[in-house]
Amino acid sequence: MSKSTFINASHSRRRVQGAIGSGRAAHHQPPRRQEWASLTPAEILGRYVPGKADPMQVLDVLLELFNTQHTTLDKSVSHKTRQERADFLRRFFRDLKLKANFATVPDPRNLGDRHIRAIVAVWREEKLAPSTIQTYLSFLRGLALWIGKPGFIRPPDHYGLTLREYQRNENAQRDKSWTAAGIDIDSVIEQARAFDRYVGASLGLIRAFGLRRKESVMLRPHLCVVQFEATGLASEERQADRYLRIKEGAKGGRLRFVPLDSAQRLAALKFAQAVVQGEDAHLGDPRHSLKHNLRRFDYVMEKFGITADGLGATAHGLRHEAMIDHYTDKAG
C-alpha cells in the first residue's frame, strides 16, 4: 500500500469517522479562531455571560479551547479521545434536561454538585459498566479543570456509587485466547492466507508479535526492522540483534520495539515481507484505503467464524495468545 494511499485514507477517515468527525475540521476541535489570537481563555469566555449565553455555545467554546489537552498529563490527546469527550459532554448537558429532569440546561461554568449527583443516578438506573462510569467521570474532571474548578468532581463513592458499580475489574474474566476457545490457530491462519494473503500475513504478525489489528495492517515489514543500536534501549535490555519498530496504528501513537528473538517471529515477518509490494509498502492491499483494508480484515474474520458469537474468540484474542505465549516463555 503506497504512502500516498494511506495519507489520503487518513484524511478521508477523519471526515467520516463517528457522528461528528475526528479531524481538526470537525466542529468539536476546529482551528483556533483568528479573532482569539491575542486573547487569553478567560478573556474569550468573558464574552459569554452566564445566564445570557447559550450553554451549549459556551460548551463549544470550551471544547475549542481545551479539548486537545490531557486531563492530568502535559500532552495532547488523540483525535479519538477528543471526539469521545466532545460527544459525551454534549450528551451530558442534554441529558441533564432530558433524563435528569432539570428545567433548563445549565451554563457549564455554573455546574453544581446536584447536577453531577442527578446524572450519576441516571447512570445507575441505566446500569452503565464500571469502566464507562470511570471514563465519564474522567471527562467531567477535565471539564472541571477547564472552568477553573479542580477537585470539583469527587470520588465515585461521594455520589453514592458502590465499589461494585465503579471499580474496574482489571483481571480478565476468562482466557480470551484462541487456544482457550479450541481454535486450531495454524489451520485458520493458513486458510486466511489462502483466501487473502494480506489478512493472513496480518494474522501471522498478530500471533507472533502481539500486534493490534490496525498495527498489523499499517506495518511496513521491510522498513520497520531496525538494529538494536537504533532502538535507543539500554544495553542490558538487549534481547536480539534486530527489532520490529511499531508506531503506525499504535494506541496513542506510542512507539515500541519487539525483538526478533524467535523462529515464529522471523517466519511471520518473512511471510509479510514476501506479501507486500515494495520496500516502503504497508501490509494492506495497495489498491484500497486503510479503512477498506480494516473492513476487509473484519470480513475475513467473520468468514472463518472468528467472532465472539462464532467460535467464541476475536482477532484481538490472537493478541492475547501472543501475550500468554510470551509470558509462559519468560516465566516458565
Side-chain angles (χ1 to χ4, degrees):
M1 184 177 297
S2 68
K3 183 177 181 179
S4 62
T5 299
F6 261 93
I7 291 174
N8 292 335
S10 176
H11 289 174
S12 174
R13 183 172 69 260
R14 288 175 180 172
R15 287 194 297 271
V16 302
Q17 182 181 21
I20 61 175
S22 60
R24 285 189 61 85
H27 68 271
H28 70 281
Q29 190 53 41
R32 187 178 177 90
R33 303 181 193 180
Q34 193 169 12
E35 65 267 26
W36 290 358
S38 61
L39 300 177
T40 66
E43 289 171 335
I44 294 168
L45 287 166
R47 297 180 172 185
Y48 301 86
V49 180
K52 295 183 179 180
D54 179 356
M56 300 307 288
Q57 185 180 16
V58 174
L59 177 60
D60 284 342
V61 171
L62 288 167
L63 289 168
E64 284 190 49
L65 290 171
F66 302 113
N67 199 27
T68 60
Q69 298 178 6
H70 194 279
T71 303
T72 56
L73 303 178
D74 184 18
K75 68 172 189 176
S76 61
V77 297
S78 68
H79 289 295
K80 179 175 181 290
T81 298
R82 296 176 205 178
Q83 176 179 328
E84 290 176 349
R85 184 158 57 188
D87 284 344
F88 163 74
L89 290 174
R90 290 192 176 93
R91 187 171 62 250
F92 166 79
F93 281 96
R94 290 195 301 266
D95 285 351
L96 284 174
K97 182 176 182 180
L98 298 176
K99 294 184 178 181
N101 299 318
F102 284 91
T104 59
V105 175
D107 186 292
R109 295 164 292 183
N110 291 335
L111 204 60
D113 187 71
R114 63 195 180 100
H115 297 112
I116 308 301
R117 288 183 177 276
I119 210 66
V120 169
V122 171
W123 296 347
R124 296 184 72 181
E125 185 177 342
E126 294 179 344
K127 292 182 171 53
L128 296 190
S131 59
T132 301
I133 290 176
Q134 289 279 19
T135 299
Y136 287 176
L137 289 175
S138 176
F139 288 161
L140 288 172
R141 288 189 189 96
L143 175 64
L145 291 175
W146 302 350
I147 61 177
K149 294 182 178 180
F152 169 65
I153 300 300
R154 306 287 294 278
D157 57 1
H158 173 77
Y159 305 112
L161 290 165
T162 65
L163 188 67
R164 187 175 188 179
E165 289 174 310
Y166 70 83
Q167 181 66 57
R168 294 175 189 261
N169 186 349
E170 300 294 347
N171 300 314
Q173 296 298 311
R174 65 178 181 84
D175 186 345
K176 298 178 181 179
S177 68
W178 285 21
T179 297
I183 298 172
D184 186 335
I185 301 174
D186 292 330
S187 175
V188 170
I189 291 180
E190 284 303 315
Q191 291 179 63
R193 285 176 174 178
F195 182 75
D196 187 311
R197 64 187 187 279
Y198 296 106
V199 176
S202 284
L203 287 175
L205 291 172
I206 293 171
R207 181 190 188 186
F209 294 94
L211 303 186
R212 297 177 176 85
R213 176 194 65 156
K214 189 175 181 180
E215 290 173 342
S216 70
V217 174
M218 295 188 72
L219 188 80
R220 305 175 195 238
H222 292 286
L223 292 184
C224 286
V225 179
V226 299
Q227 297 296 318
F228 170 76
E229 291 73 16
T231 64
L233 299 173
S235 57
E236 59 268 23
E237 296 181 52
R238 184 169 188 152
Q239 299 179 49
D241 292 332
R242 296 188 302 158
Y243 280 68
L244 198 67
R245 180 183 185 275
I246 303 163
K247 183 174 176 63
E248 290 184 284
K251 188 175 182 180
R254 292 188 288 270
L255 174 66
R256 70 182 189 278
F257 297 93
V258 182
L260 292 168
D261 59 355
S262 70
Q264 182 189 56
R265 287 178 172 177
L266 289 170
L269 177 63
K270 183 178 180 181
F271 183 85
Q273 289 176 334
V275 167
V276 297
Q277 300 180 15
E279 295 285 320
D280 188 44
H282 298 81
L283 187 58
D285 191 330
R287 298 171 299 176
H288 303 300
S289 68
L290 171 60
K291 184 176 182 179
H292 182 104
N293 277 308
L294 291 173
R295 285 179 175 173
R296 175 67 175 181
F297 182 99
D298 294 339
Y299 168 77
V300 174
M301 292 300 93
E302 291 178 7
K303 178 176 178 62
F304 291 102
I306 309 301
T307 65
D309 294 333
L311 296 177
T314 64
H316 199 74
L318 196 55
R319 174 172 155 82
H320 282 251
E321 190 83 33
M323 299 305 175
I324 291 171
D325 288 346
H326 176 74
Y327 178 82
T328 302
D329 289 343
K330 295 300 181 184

